[in-house]
Amino acid sequence: MFDVSIERLVRGGHLEESRAARTQFLWDEIRRLKRDKHAFIPAHNYQVPEVQAIADTVGDSFELAVRARNVDARLVVFCGVRFMAEGCYTLAPHLPVYLPSQRALCSLAEVDADELEERQEFLRGLGRKFVTMTYVNTYADVKALSDACCTSSNAVRIAERLAAPDILFVPDQNLAYQVAFKTKRTYLPPPDPHAFHPKEYRERIEPLLREGERQGLVGNVFAWEGACHVHHNMTVADIATIRRDDPTAVVIVHGEVRPELQQAADEVMSTSQMAKYVETHPEKTRLAILTECGLVVRLELEHPEKQFYKPCRLCEHMKAIDLENVYLTLRDEPPECRVTVPEEVRAGAARAMERMIELAT
Ligand code: SF4
């Protein structure tokens, strides 16, 4: 839970003064409706602070997925993006789950399930013994084709616990790099987006496979060609500027940034790991956190004693959720905002998500 006052939001420049009265009205109404309707509101760490403030729980995608399983409520209004609301429904199909905006999508999650089946077939044709690990930032049809899901907080642990030398990692190519690096596997870069040519790809990866074998590595990570536009557009120059201006600041990056940024940073973490790090390291007073701005803004409000450098970026999909559409969704329960998945797909996706929870905890 995130506790903040309107006055603090205005003082910190996070809310225009002219919006203060309306925000207070929306907070009061949302809290009243939540009680009356026995509703549950989860919010992702990237939501704006005034939305995080009315949530029942705030966290990263793994935490929100785990909490969705045991929700005691009559309905859920999910403050995040569509794949998260879908994941909530996948694990708690007895609950009506609503997403307040149709624009709350995710550039990373757009994976074509047919293309995934083609890639799996290709790897089988090469005789590879592989598992398919799917980041939760995907839709249910892709999750259903996977052996296990993962998030940035548990991808390495799950890769270590799955008993297969090779991993087809879908869809984030940068997190795939982190998994390969930390589990001592060869990282096989992805083909160009929507341009998978089996022969060309095979010619490109074969020397890398041979080199990995020569070095005695555990196996290989075949990266998919996806990337989060928010993190993928961050640059090494962002880190170099911070290092130049304040060499003692701690630089923490998200696992979705490019490999060269992961190498240049002090830590690579998920959003909730970042929040925990800030909380449990009182001696670290100057930090640069490279992820979406929503988390950094909340950390600033929670830790006024610390200084945060902000080479963060906004995700317009996350910012499609606001107090106005949360209020209207909770009040009216509009059918077009309800998120469901066909049962046969949901069951497959649930299996992969449950496997993640089992392996990660
Ligand atoms: S920050 Fe990136 S991964 Fe997260 S919802 Fe936005 S586009 Fe998707």
Side-chain angles (χ1 to χ4, degrees):
M1 297 267 286
F2 172 50
D3 196 13
V4 71
S5 67
I6 301 267
E7 193 224 331
R8 178 106 179 73
L9 289 177
V10 172
R11 218 167 358 103
H14 306 295
L15 184 68
E16 285 173 28
E17 198 154 8
S18 59
R19 294 277 310 158
R22 178 71 183 165
T23 301
Q24 188 63 60
F25 166 80
L26 292 169
W27 275 5
D28 293 345
E29 279 300 287
I30 290 170
R31 285 176 178 137
R32 181 184 66 76
L33 285 165
K34 258 202 311 183
R35 272 194 312 275
D36 292 354
K37 295 189 161 198
H38 195 28
F40 181 71
I41 303 187
H44 189 266
N45 284 321
Y46 292 161
Q47 292 295 299
V48 290
E50 62 269 31
V51 167
Q52 294 194 33
I54 48 84
D56 295 297
T57 183
V58 178
D60 63 20
S61 13
F62 178 66
E63 291 169 330
L64 298 180
V66 171
R67 282 167 208 161
R69 291 195 307 172
N70 307 311
V71 168
D72 173 24
R74 192 188 69 69
L75 72 127
V76 174
V77 176
F78 205 104
C79 299
V81 291
R82 187 171 185 87
F83 75 79
M84 295 177 181
E86 220 189 60
C88 178
Y89 173 78
T90 299
L91 293 176
H94 57 287
L95 283 174
V97 177
Y98 293 89
L99 183 67
S101 169
Q102 310 288 322
R103 292 186 297 112
L105 301 170
C106 169
S107 57
L108 180 56
E110 302 298 328
V111 176
D112 185 323
D114 291 341
E115 287 184 19
L116 174 54
E117 284 188 304
E118 183 193 357
R119 196 75 51 89
Q120 290 172 324
E121 200 47 49
F122 166 79
L123 290 179
R124 277 192 281 273
L126 290 186
R128 308 301 314 185
K129 300 226 175 325
F130 70 98
V131 289
T132 304
M133 263 178 80
T134 299
Y135 197 23
V136 287
N137 300 37
T138 46
Y139 295 112
D141 56 346
V142 166
K143 288 188 174 88
L145 294 172
S146 315
D147 294 283
C149 289
C150 68
T151 69
S152 53
S153 66
N154 59 34
V156 171
R157 177 189 287 243
I158 287 173
E160 281 166 346
R161 292 185 170 184
L162 285 168
D166 288 352
I167 296 170
L168 171 57
F169 193 95
V170 185
D172 191 277
Q173 56 187 274
N174 299 319
L175 195 56
Y177 168 82
Q178 198 201 2
V179 168
F181 179 70
K182 292 232 172 113
T183 64
K184 300 194 170 25
R185 287 176 165 85
T186 306
Y187 172 72
L188 301 165
D192 292 333
H194 308 294
F196 175 64
H197 302 297
K199 186 167 172 292
E200 272 173 31
Y201 179 66
R202 183 177 179 164
E203 284 169 4
R204 190 145 66 87
I205 62 172
E206 270 179 351
L208 299 171
L209 289 169
R210 281 198 296 275
E211 178 56 22
E213 277 165 25
R214 194 190 64 74
Q215 290 180 19
L217 296 181
V218 173
N220 306 282
V221 175
F222 296 84
W224 192 263
E225 46 272 35
C228 158
H229 71 289
V230 173
H231 292 97
H232 203 58
N233 288 335
M234 292 176 172
T235 66
V236 172
D238 291 330
I239 296 182
T241 305
I242 294 154
R243 297 274 193 225
R244 187 198 61 214
D245 295 346
D246 188 347
T248 59
V250 182
V251 177
I252 305 175
V253 298
H254 193 274
E256 291 170 14
V257 300
R258 292 173 190 263
E260 56 270 32
L261 276 79
Q262 296 183 31
Q263 287 156 4
D266 297 309
E267 306 283 350
V268 183
M269 292 179 177
S270 74
T271 53
S272 285
Q273 287 167 340
M274 291 170 177
K276 194 162 176 204
Y277 181 93
V278 172
E279 184 73 45
T280 56
H281 289 79
E283 76 287 3
K284 306 286 185 195
T285 53
R286 294 190 312 287
L287 302 107
I289 297 188
L290 278 76
T291 190
E292 209 276 347
C293 298
L295 174 73
V296 189
V297 166
R298 191 187 83 218
L299 292 175
E300 261 185 340
L301 287 161
E302 286 177 332
H303 299 278
E305 76 286 3
K306 299 194 185 219
Q307 184 179 348
F308 293 91
Y309 299 101
K310 288 202 285 186
C312 60
R313 303 276 199 284
L314 284 175
C315 171
E316 68 278 18
H317 305 297
M318 283 283 179
K319 269 40 186 185
I321 306 292
D322 58 31
L323 280 182
E324 300 284 351
N325 54 33
V326 173
Y327 167 60
L328 292 177
T329 305
L330 187 52
R331 190 188 70 182
D332 301 340
E333 301 178 36
E336 68 275 16
C337 291
R338 188 150 171 192
V339 176
T340 56
V341 181
E343 181 51 28
E344 64 281 11
V345 177
R346 189 206 66 79
R351 179 193 39 74
M353 289 185 78
E354 292 288 358
R355 188 93 195 275
M356 164 182 76
I357 293 168
E358 172 201 327
L359 292 173
T361 48

